[in-house]
Amino acid sequence: MHAIKTVALTKHYGHHGLPVHLPFLGPAPQPIRALESLDIAVREGEIFGFLGPNGAGKSTTIRLLLGYLHPTAGEGRVLGLDSVRDSVAIRRRIGYLPGGIALYDSLTGERLLDYLAELSGRPPSRRAELCERLELSARTLGRLVRDYSRGMRQKIGIVQALQHEPELAILDEPTEGLDPLMQRAFYEILDKLKAEGRTIFFSSHVLSEVERVCDRVAIIRQGRLVALEEMAKLLARRKRNVEMRLEGSPPRLEGVTGVSGVVIADGRVTCRVEGDVRPFLAAISGAPIVDLTIEPAHLEEAFLEFYEEADPA
Amino acid sequence: MNGPLFRHTWRSQRLKLAVVSIALVVWGFLMPVVYAQFGSQFKTLMESGILPEQFARFGNGDVFSLPGSIALGFVHPIAIILTSVFAVGFSTSAVAGERQRGTLEVALARPISRPTLYLTLLVASFAFVAATIAALLAGSVTGSLFAGVIGELAVGSVPLLWLNGVLLFGSFAAIGLAASVSFDRFTPALGLTIGTVVVAYFLEILGSLWPDAEFLQPYSLFHYLKPKAVLTGAAAPFDFAILAVVIVVGMGWALAVFPRRDLAAPS
């Protein structure tokens, strides 16, 4: 069974925000195609990255899966349950961190976590461990939420999503506002959850963290799925940036399999190498190279390539 | 009904509830005292013909009798504004306000169905309204005791008057909550509900002061609040039924609309 599965999941908006269209408010706006026929399947026990820029449809997908939105077409299933009919049963088994989480400012951090645990109907058995890892002391939890910084609010958001040990955690941009140390602590928490066999659906536009933690990644753009790949395969497909410094004639790289973007200037050669490196190594053997740097391209570049390939323009 | 949500709602409103209740106790206390001190003088003034007789019918209240003075206290703008803090203010912000702030998102990430959330907030709204109306009546009974006119009050009718008041302001709460679940933002829900209360009040007062406009009164929910009639044993079940129907219609709208509507990300 998949932890999450969507089949042709589609969402179009097109109203004034009212449940019925009122003619005196003017003509109904043109529908916005927030999500078009999305097909993804998240395996149990994996960390699944859901990538895309702001407005790509990441949050819409999550809101459809949790029953906040009703699909225009298609269906979503979470832990084998229908996202429309069984949304309460789904929410009993998951933990959710909304993007840009808003909290009850008049409560203390501890009281807020108690309240949300009560609403969940499950004991907050993991809270102490999470608070310790995220450096939320008892003193901090005793303060009113309105006095918290953005990072502290985000930490509380992470704790409330995971404190009741959900089978599936849906995290919408979870590291927003966290400093690098806390981001690392958060990744360690994810590693531990994964080791326990829990599933994590992780939406982000920060590619480096997706590269760091995810097993598979789906890339979404303008409401459409652009790619769904194993992270390892995506990284293997990415190009390497090569820079050579030479004392003499540069090697002939034009036409070598996997080599592109060759630039020769001032005794330096830069190029990009994709796939098997042996043809490239054969081509440069014997060249008067005095320095050589081969650097794997960041996921950003692989990601941008997907976008360039899928760009209808 | 969801217990943790109800307790959280109650705790978050308790200070406001205490302040409003104390203000209503004081206001309710004043009415019998004013009647006891100045009732006969007002009656003489009215009988002299200096003031138009319609002034004696303001919202079906007067200061010439204890039931009339308590009725006047009920329909006076001060009492209506204080009671509306919960009947209108709380009910309209309960869903739309939380949506606008983004906190509804966190609550609805838990295993709570939208009908359960709505019904819990409706029960909370009614509890707040019931408490504020009880405070107003407690003030009136205490004021009657203090002024030595308690013998003129049919104390056995007070619970029925409480029910009449709860149904009126409960109907406003049901309208407010129905508006609250229908909008993404707080201000349209608040505007719609305040507009309903103000128009209803205007129609009732206009009809009570101007005989040619009496035909407008049945279109006002305030027309079905009859404190004087209730306290004099002339309560009409029809008045209670009309208010109950409005509450049921408000609930029906909310239960039909809220579970079916999209809750987009808070902006």
Side-chain angles (χ1 to χ4, degrees):
Chain A
M1 188 182 72
H2 289 104
I4 295 174
K5 185 170 174 61
T6 67
V7 179
L9 191 63
T10 301
K11 182 64 189 174
H12 296 170
Y13 294 105
H15 53 70
H16 289 286
L18 297 175
V20 291
H21 175 60
L22 302 176
F24 62 83
L25 290 177
Q30 286 296 307
I32 298 164
R33 297 172 184 277
L35 201 64
E36 281 291 347
S37 201
L38 181 73
D39 292 303
I40 56 170
V42 179
R43 298 171 195 143
E44 285 188 338
E46 75 174 338
I47 301 183
F48 188 92
F50 198 47
L51 267 166
N54 293 330
K58 302 188 298 292
S59 294
T60 297
T61 304
I62 290 174
R63 300 181 79 78
L64 284 164
L65 293 172
L66 294 177
Y68 292 113
L69 301 176
H70 297 82
T72 307
E75 66 163 358
R77 298 191 77 79
V78 179
L79 300 170
L81 301 164
D82 184 87
S83 66
V84 176
R85 284 196 309 273
D86 308 317
S87 73
V88 174
I90 288 171
R91 285 179 270 139
R92 188 167 287 122
R93 294 168 61 185
I94 63 136
Y96 172 47
L97 172 67
I101 187 171
L103 303 169
Y104 296 96
D105 283 352
S106 59
L107 300 180
T108 65
E110 184 167 23
R111 181 70 203 102
L112 174 71
L113 292 172
D114 285 344
Y115 169 54
L116 294 176
E118 277 182 61
L119 284 180
S120 295
R122 290 167 64 173
S125 46
R126 193 161 220 142
R127 186 193 300 174
E129 178 197 332
L130 291 166
C131 288
E132 190 185 335
R133 278 183 177 266
L134 294 170
E135 297 178 8
L136 283 168
S137 65
R139 190 159 165 267
T140 303
L141 290 173
R143 287 165 49 196
L144 290 175
V145 169
R146 74 165 66 99
D147 298 330
Y148 282 5
S149 67
R150 184 154 178 246
M152 273 152 59
R153 285 168 183 262
Q154 191 70 4
K155 290 184 202 175
I156 292 284
I158 292 168
V159 174
Q160 64 82 29
L162 303 175
Q163 64 176 347
H164 54 292
E165 306 210 57
E167 293 167 55
L168 164 68
I170 296 180
L171 309 173
D172 196 352
E173 309 203 343
T175 55
E176 287 258 310
L178 295 185
D179 62 48
L181 276 178
M182 284 302 105
Q183 286 181 14
R184 190 183 302 170
F186 173 68
Y187 300 149
E188 286 167 11
I189 290 168
L190 291 189
D191 288 340
K192 188 163 185 210
L193 292 174
K194 192 192 168 200
E196 290 171 7
R198 298 182 197 281
T199 312
I200 294 152
F201 184 86
F202 185 109
S203 137
S204 180
H205 60 255
V206 182
L207 300 167
S208 55
E209 73 182 11
V210 172
E211 184 176 346
R212 157 77 176 74
V213 300
C214 293
D215 301 312
R216 286 196 305 150
V217 60
I219 299 173
I220 185 172
R221 184 193 190 194
Q222 293 178 353
R224 291 178 186 276
L225 184 68
V226 177
L228 201 168
E229 287 241 27
E230 300 281 343
M231 181 55 70
K233 284 184 187 166
L234 187 64
L235 294 176
R237 268 186 49 179
R238 68 183 172 179
K239 294 171 180 169
R240 301 163 193 85
N241 294 321
V242 177
E243 184 175 340
M244 291 175 268
R245 199 154 56 81
L246 302 124
E247 287 181 346
S249 310
R252 289 188 62 81
L253 294 173
E254 287 77 14
V256 177
T257 307
V259 177
S260 61
V262 180
V263 177
I264 302 169
D266 301 331
R268 284 175 189 275
V269 176
T270 58
C271 64
R272 301 175 84 193
V273 178
E274 184 180 7
D276 190 349
V277 295
R278 283 172 294 186
F280 168 72
L281 292 176
I284 65 170
S285 66
I289 299 169
V290 293
D291 194 11
L292 172 67
T293 308
I294 302 177
E295 189 180 56
H298 286 289
L299 184 60
E300 272 88 343
E301 292 176 41
F303 180 77
L304 288 172
E305 277 171 27
F306 268 118
Y307 270 33
E308 283 161 11
E309 285 166 17
D311 193 341
Chain B
M1 168 130 150
N2 183 283
L5 176 62
F6 183 81
R7 286 193 293 277
H8 166 75
T9 306
W10 187 266
R11 273 196 289 260
S12 67
Q13 300 291 324
R14 63 189 168 189
L15 179 62
K16 197 192 297 176
L17 181 65
V19 171
V20 168
S21 296
I22 289 168
L24 280 166
V25 166
V26 172
W27 176 252
F29 181 89
L30 285 176
M31 290 296 111
V33 173
V34 168
Y35 156 69
Q37 291 293 315
F38 306 108
S40 58
Q41 292 167 35
F42 275 120
K43 190 166 188 179
T44 306
L45 190 65
M46 290 305 301
E47 286 173 350
S48 71
I50 294 173
L51 296 173
E53 64 176 291
Q54 282 80 7
F55 275 98
R57 301 207 306 250
F58 179 84
N60 293 314
D62 60 56
V63 283
F64 320 131
S65 65
L66 184 59
S69 68
I70 291 174
L72 191 60
F74 244 102
V75 299
H76 194 282
I78 288 177
I80 289 165
I81 289 169
L82 286 170
T83 314
S84 293
V85 167
F86 289 102
V88 176
F90 170 76
S91 65
T92 52
S93 71
V95 175
E98 291 236 4
R99 246 195 65 57
Q100 191 171 328
R101 286 189 294 275
T103 44
L104 187 69
E105 181 111 341
V106 183
L108 276 180
R110 268 70 202 172
I112 306 170
S113 69
R114 293 191 204 176
T116 302
L117 181 104
Y118 164 74
L119 288 171
T120 303
L121 294 171
L122 184 73
V123 169
S125 301
F126 272 77
F128 295 139
V129 166
T132 52
I133 300 293
L136 178 62
L137 288 173
S140 295
V141 171
T142 310
S144 301
L145 277 168
F146 178 80
V149 292
I150 190 72
E152 298 175 36
L153 183 67
V155 178
S157 299
V158 171
L160 199 57
L161 177 55
W162 172 82
L163 179 63
N164 196 189
V166 169
L167 285 173
L168 174 70
F169 288 98
S171 65
F172 290 132
I175 291 168
L177 207 48
S180 191
V181 301
S182 303
F183 290 96
D184 288 331
R185 301 190 75 77
F186 170 54
T187 40
L190 182 66
L192 187 73
T193 312
I194 287 182
T196 304
V197 174
V198 169
V199 168
Y201 191 71
F202 177 75
L203 294 180
E204 174 62 8
I205 298 302
L206 186 69
S208 71
L209 295 177
W210 185 23
D212 287 349
E214 271 183 18
F215 75 96
L216 293 172
Q217 285 182 298
Y219 298 105
S220 166
L221 289 178
F222 282 101
H223 189 61
Y224 305 100
L225 175 71
K226 301 276 178 60
K228 193 173 173 183
V230 171
L231 290 174
T232 54
F238 177 75
D239 295 330
F240 291 70
I242 288 286
L243 296 172
V245 165
V246 171
I247 291 169
V248 170
V249 169
M251 288 174 65
W253 169 274
L255 288 170
V257 167
F258 192 36
R260 288 170 177 79
R261 67 176 305 233
D262 282 338
L263 298 176
S267 51

